[in-house]
Amino acid sequence: MSDVAELKVNNQTYQLPVTKGTEDEVAVDIQKLRAESKVITLDPGFGNTGSCESGITFIDGEKGILRYRGIPIEQLAEKSTFVETAYLLIYGKLPNETELSDFKNGLTRHSLIHEDMLHFYDGYPSTAHPMAILSSMVCSLSAYYPDSLDPSDPEQVARLIPRVLSKIRTIASYSFKKSIGQPVIYPKNSLDYCANFLYMMFAVPSEAFEVDEDIVKAVNMLLILHADHEQNCSTSTVRLVGSSDANLFASIAAGICALWGPKHGGANQAVVEMLAEIEKNDGDVRKALERAKDKDDPFRLMGFGHRVYKNYDPRARVIKGSCDKILAKTGQTDPLLDIARRLEEAALEDPYFRDRKLYPNVDFYSGVIYRAIGIPTNMFTVMFALGRLPGWIAHWKEMVDSKNYRIGRPRQIYTGNNETNYVPLSQRT
Ligand code: CMC
């Protein structure tokens, strides 16, 4: 194959370099196109635009493949822990024993937040969405750690990574405790990352709390499955904000806000709300399908469809396979799981969904497990944020380590007025 593409525009032919990834993905490099031709490319939603080269995560949406640093997601979900996977994403390799132990120690050492930050919680209304609290608290961390804000200083970055990874878990669990009027539970150094999170979420000072190892395993699995997904909306946001050399806390806070939307991470909350609505309507899944197909109705089947996957989302497959096991473990049944299965079955038989290659995505079944564990619905997207954090950090680090990154600054095609004179107020109609 030629390593040059030709573009003919305004009767001129331009030669554009062609670049290839390690999995043979091909891209036409247009970096110099405007300088040479005054022409830009137009791609709203960036469905066809590569914003960077990256060695972190590979997705083949047609085949339903997802790998972190080359390792299939199914292997990591079964055999790894969230902390080990975070190391893999951020540092590019599986840690050896010393590296893992040092990494874990760093997370343990940085698990507290400054006591003054506890007062922040009192300022939020009790109805505040935990994503609003999480994003603002993470941004506020930058006020407390001025010694780790410079992205160009590797020592500061090294301090920053365990700080943000560890403290976000504390912030998230405190926001839950505050929302239900319970005292916050300080982290316990003897517990691993996920066990410590569950402890801070569900322990109370008045009695002993045993962390259930099967539930810890389920949380590890869910966080691993969410840990990275290459240039998705929130990760691209983190890269874009970080490209201005804003600090990592600010960049992550922006990523949390991007994740909140129901087309992105907010879908996990929206799925359970949709399933509950179907349950209220006698469990009739057909009405939801009809609404989702109606172009005059903004309703979409939440947890279905994906920009990249045109096949079953491999993360959804793993989560769906674990639902029964976790419900059995917690001794529960969940009518919403039955509705979700019937909804999936009906959608996959429907030509609308088949023709558009719309399959369940990661958010379709995750809520069933979160409910079984006792995580409230409005905390689901916070769980997604905890999981996605290593991916955000890995992409930010990859970018700042690359040294040759430029500020993210797309162009546009202007479609507004041509030059128009200012009209004084008295002469306006
Ligand atoms: N229900 C009904 N129709 C849908 C859906 C859906 N969930 N998703 C896509 N479509 C239709 C869409 O209307 C369009 O139809 P047409 O070609 O007739 O105009 C076609 O499928 C292509 O959709 P699109 O909007 O061009 O696709 P996109 O790549 O821009 O959007 C998406 C991807 C995930 C935002 C979208 O599928 C969606 O809104 N899904 C529901 C929300 C959701 O579950 N989001 C979580 C995504 S996975 C977790 C994450 O990474 O955040």
Side-chain angles (χ1 to χ4, degrees):
M1 192 184 69
S2 151
D3 54 3
V4 171
E6 281 190 350
L7 176 72
K8 197 167 173 193
V9 59
N10 292 339
N11 282 328
Q12 285 273 350
T13 302
Y14 300 95
Q15 308 257 313
L16 300 165
V18 167
T19 188
K20 223 179 188 189
T22 46
E23 291 285 346
D24 291 339
E25 290 169 301
V26 177
V28 178
D29 182 341
I30 56 156
Q31 287 182 79
K32 299 215 166 74
L33 178 63
R34 187 177 181 281
E36 289 172 5
S37 67
K38 299 261 185 302
V39 168
I40 64 162
T41 55
L42 186 62
D43 183 22
F46 308 124
N48 205 39
T49 294
S51 61
C52 60
E53 291 181 325
S54 177
I56 300 170
T57 285
F58 172 69
I59 303 175
D60 185 327
E62 274 71 35
K63 294 191 184 136
I65 291 173
L66 170 61
R67 299 183 200 131
Y68 298 161
R69 301 284 186 185
I71 304 177
I73 191 69
E74 294 81 2
Q75 289 184 27
L76 291 166
E78 189 193 337
K79 298 177 183 163
S80 186
T81 62
F82 176 61
V83 168
E84 185 183 65
T85 297
Y87 187 101
L88 169 73
L89 286 166
I90 296 168
Y91 299 107
K93 68 185 251 311
L94 286 169
N96 63 29
E97 270 182 40
T98 315
E99 289 162 338
L100 185 59
S101 155
D102 290 350
F103 190 52
K104 282 181 176 175
N105 287 341
L107 296 177
T108 303
R109 206 169 55 243
H110 292 290
S111 60
L112 287 169
I113 57 171
H114 196 293
E115 283 290 297
D116 287 354
M117 289 187 81
L118 281 174
H119 300 300
F120 293 8
Y121 290 101
D122 300 332
Y124 293 102
S126 59
T127 51
H129 196 285
M131 286 295 275
I133 299 178
L134 190 72
S135 57
S136 50
M137 294 286 279
V138 167
C139 198
S140 300
L141 287 173
S142 55
Y144 291 85
Y145 300 101
D147 65 339
S148 46
L149 301 184
D150 180 359
S152 67
D153 180 345
E155 275 182 29
Q156 294 198 28
V157 171
R159 266 201 304 271
L160 182 60
I161 290 172
R163 261 189 187 145
V164 67
L165 268 171
S166 193
K167 290 180 197 307
I168 196 173
R169 167 189 60 164
T170 311
I171 291 171
S173 51
Y174 285 8
S175 71
F176 171 60
K177 285 299 198 193
K178 284 283 180 182
S179 75
I180 56 169
Q182 286 186 1
V184 301
I185 297 290
Y186 287 98
K188 200 186 221 179
N189 282 1
S190 58
L191 294 173
D192 276 350
Y193 190 92
C194 291
N196 215 346
F197 172 68
L198 290 168
Y199 169 73
M200 287 190 274
M201 285 284 289
F202 299 120
V204 286
S206 42
E207 60 190 27
F209 179 80
E210 277 296 314
V211 185
D212 184 312
E213 276 315 309
D214 287 333
I215 304 296
V216 172
K217 238 178 136 196
V219 172
N220 267 292
M221 181 265 292
L222 284 169
L223 297 188
I224 289 169
L225 293 173
H226 286 86
D228 193 41
H229 218 233
E230 46 115 311
Q231 310 309 321
N232 57 86
C233 178
S234 55
T235 305
S236 296
T237 300
V238 171
R239 277 194 182 249
L240 190 62
V241 174
S243 75
S244 73
D245 288 344
N247 68 71
L248 180 60
F249 296 118
S251 306
I252 298 288
I256 293 170
C257 292
L259 185 75
W260 192 1
K263 287 186 177 168
H264 193 7
N268 56 12
Q269 173 174 342
V271 168
V272 161
E273 287 165 353
M274 174 186 75
L275 297 174
E277 191 61 31
I278 295 173
E279 189 192 19
K280 261 204 303 194
N281 293 326
D282 303 323
D284 183 2
V285 297
R286 277 168 314 175
K287 210 152 121 201
L289 288 187
E290 290 314 313
R291 279 194 70 194
K293 294 191 294 185
D294 181 356
K295 292 292 174 198
D296 296 326
D297 188 334
F299 175 81
R300 286 188 162 200
L301 204 58
M302 299 315 288
F304 249 75
H306 199 277
R307 170 64 61 80
V308 182
Y309 291 119
K310 302 302 163 200
N311 201 326
Y312 213 100
D313 182 334
R315 303 167 298 174
R317 201 186 297 285
V318 175
I319 296 174
K320 185 182 177 189
S322 305
C323 283
D324 281 330
K325 213 170 110 198
I326 288 152
L327 284 172
K329 167 73 204 170
T330 56
Q332 300 174 34
T333 52
D334 189 343
L336 299 195
L337 176 58
D338 174 53
I339 292 171
R341 284 188 178 128
R342 287 193 290 112
L343 187 59
E344 176 191 337
E345 207 177 285
L348 296 185
E349 278 171 7
D350 190 308
Y352 175 96
F353 293 90
R354 271 212 317 264
D355 294 350
R356 288 170 180 74
K357 299 191 164 72
L358 302 172
Y359 293 88
N361 60 48
V362 68
D363 292 320
F364 197 65
Y365 286 102
S366 60
V368 171
I369 301 187
Y370 288 138
R371 273 159 64 89
I373 293 172
I375 309 273
T377 313
N378 69 355
M379 283 286 289
F380 288 3
T381 313
V382 169
M383 297 303 294
F384 196 149
L386 292 189
R388 184 54 53 89
L389 186 58
W392 291 333
I393 296 171
H395 281 273
W396 177 85
K397 185 170 180 304
E398 182 180 65
M399 182 182 72
V400 299
D401 283 351
S402 75
K403 305 292 181 216
N404 60 355
Y405 63 97
R406 300 172 76 197
I407 188 167
R409 203 306 185 184
R411 289 195 176 255
Q412 63 166 18
I413 292 293
Y414 175 69
T415 58
N417 291 337
N418 295 114
E419 188 173 349
T420 312
N421 286 326
Y422 177 81
V423 180
L425 183 58
S426 59
Q427 293 171 24
R428 288 178 219 156
T429 51

